[in-house]
Amino acid sequence: MSASDPSAGCFTGFSRLIATASAARRLTREEGEALRAFGEQAAADGTTLRQLVARHLRYARATWSEAPDSADSTLAMVVQAIDAMAEGYDRAQHHAVRRQEAARSEFLDDLLHGHTDLGRLAERADRFGLRLSHDHAVAVATGPALYAEGDDVPRRVERAVTSRFGERQTLLTTKEGRLVCVAPGDRRDVLAYFAEQARAAAGGGRTAIGRSHRGAGGVVHSFEEALDTLALATRLGLEDPVLDTADFMVYPVLTRDRQAMADLVRTALGPLLKARGGPETSLTTLTVYFEAGCNTTEAARRLSLSARALTYRLERIHRLTGTDPTDPLQRYTLQTAIIGARLLKWPAQSL
């Protein structure tokens, strides 16, 4: 059959359907399923839907009867046939997307666990446009609810990111109820946009961005950094929507020796337990004061106090603790102790 033949690549029973169209009948169940199966196979063979429809319309035009009274019934039959083929085509596309999503999810699960043979992992990575010999960074987003593959929010975020940056070298999936995005280490703009879209699609939430690292193990490292940063932000009660792991490197250092940190909290802040009404007011005052860069005017504004009232509070803290929060050499002790208290949940939990 020549390439110019309008029947090339057409459904084998299409000529019989056209020939019997004048009877104004509908497709039988068997004919409909055969057309759907043909549409599925066409999709698997790489035929575009546009090509599929165009071929059958050309064939119908070349073969149907020119009798005026057969035009409507012939067109109705063609519409039914193409609709059935398109349904099969869409079904094949849907299955292909599902298989791709499953393969991607399985690959990322193996990658982020770091327990798979690196050679095989690198081969699979090529399918998704990742070059594991290069640097990559990982962003992890949480939302008001847990996410699952195929949910509306993950799909919307993925469409937004791939529409802007393309599908190559960027991989999105869900893992343990979170959204995960892997991108080249030098494309922090991708991860920042992912964080923005995740928050917008979910109506809230938080994203942590790990540092850039090289190799398959580097992806795992960046992923774990992002998870640790999310957990740390929860413990600290932070409300920032986007967290950069690089900004939190001091905290693991401070908490590496838990006993030493507990001793510092007890020594530096323990005297505040004697304050009238408990230590909470003093702890809040110190926290806000340090977050405001030790700027008395700004801290007072945030606490809805006058500058004089804030100064009085700081003087009282100095008297109780023996450490002056306004002295550049002394306040570091209190500031570190405040961080430790938040991490150790003191005084709600005893040390």
Side-chain angles (χ1 to χ4, degrees), residues 145-320:
L146 298 179
Y147 302 119
E149 196 74 36
D151 286 351
D152 180 59
V153 169
R155 286 186 179 279
R156 288 167 60 189
V157 175
E158 182 175 13
R159 282 198 299 268
V161 173
T162 55
S163 294
R164 180 162 179 173
F165 299 103
E167 297 182 0
R168 302 295 293 175
Q169 300 184 352
T170 302
L171 207 55
L172 284 84
T173 190
T174 60
K175 186 170 178 59
E176 298 176 353
R178 307 178 183 92
L179 281 175
V180 178
C181 179
V182 182
D186 60 351
R187 296 305 306 272
R188 305 294 283 189
D189 56 329
V190 175
L191 299 178
Y193 186 73
F194 162 79
E196 175 188 323
Q197 293 301 310
R199 183 173 176 81
R206 170 184 290 162
T207 300
I209 302 176
R211 292 179 300 159
S212 175
H213 300 283
R214 184 174 296 274
V219 175
V220 178
H221 192 180
S222 184
F223 174 65
E224 291 176 344
E225 284 183 343
L227 291 180
D228 289 344
T229 299
L230 285 172
L232 184 62
T234 299
R235 291 165 63 187
L236 291 173
L238 301 180
E239 298 180 356
D240 307 60
V242 181
L243 309 165
D244 194 322
T245 296
D247 297 334
F248 291 81
M249 297 308 297
V250 68
Y251 293 100
V253 175
L254 294 176
T255 58
R256 189 161 296 158
D257 189 336
R258 188 184 188 283
Q259 187 56 52
M261 178 59 75
D263 288 342
L264 174 64
V265 172
R266 278 194 297 264
T267 301
L269 302 179
L272 296 178
L273 292 170
K274 301 176 183 178
R276 183 181 301 175
E280 284 74 15
T281 298
S282 296
L283 293 175
T284 299
T285 299
L286 286 174
T287 299
V288 174
Y289 178 67
F290 293 137
E291 288 179 349
C294 300
N295 184 304
T296 302
T297 302
E298 176 60 20
R301 186 190 66 78
R302 295 185 186 185
L303 290 166
S304 299
L305 297 172
S306 66
R308 182 175 180 180
L310 175 61
T311 299
Y312 173 75
R313 284 191 183 185
L314 295 175
E315 290 174 350
R316 185 176 58 182
I317 291 170
H318 184 188
R319 289 196 301 271
L320 286 170

Side-chain angles (χ1 to χ4, degrees), residues 116-136:
T116 304
D117 176 76
L118 292 181
R120 292 186 60 248
L121 203 59
E123 292 177 3
R124 293 163 64 193
D126 286 339
R127 294 172 50 193
F128 301 103
L130 293 184
R131 297 183 178 181
L132 294 184
S133 60
H134 294 184
D135 289 353
H136 287 86

Side-chain angles (χ1 to χ4, degrees), residues 68-128:
D69 59 353
S70 70
D72 288 344
S73 55
T74 300
L75 183 58
M77 179 61 72
V78 171
V79 169
Q80 292 178 59
I82 289 179
D83 183 64
M85 282 188 287
E87 182 180 344
Y89 193 96
D90 288 344
R91 188 164 60 190
Q93 295 289 79
H94 178 75
H95 291 330
V97 169
R98 288 300 186 192
R99 287 194 298 271
Q100 176 75 359
E101 288 178 347
R104 180 180 58 188
S105 180
E106 181 182 0
F107 164 72
L108 266 179
D109 196 54
D110 290 341
L111 175 63
L112 297 178
H113 273 108
H115 300 316
T116 304
D117 176 76
L118 292 181
R120 292 186 60 248
L121 203 59
E123 292 177 3
R124 293 163 64 193
D126 286 339
R127 294 172 50 193
F128 301 103

Side-chain angles (χ1 to χ4, degrees), residues 58-71:
R58 287 198 302 269
Y59 186 66
R61 182 180 182 184
T63 58
W64 78 17
S65 170
E66 295 183 359
D69 59 353
S70 70

Side-chain angles (χ1 to χ4, degrees), residues 261 264-265 268-269 332-342 346:
M261 178 59 75
L264 174 64
V265 172
L269 302 179
Y332 179 73
T333 297
L334 285 176
Q335 189 168 8
T336 305
I338 284 291
I339 293 172
R342 295 167 72 182
W346 183 87

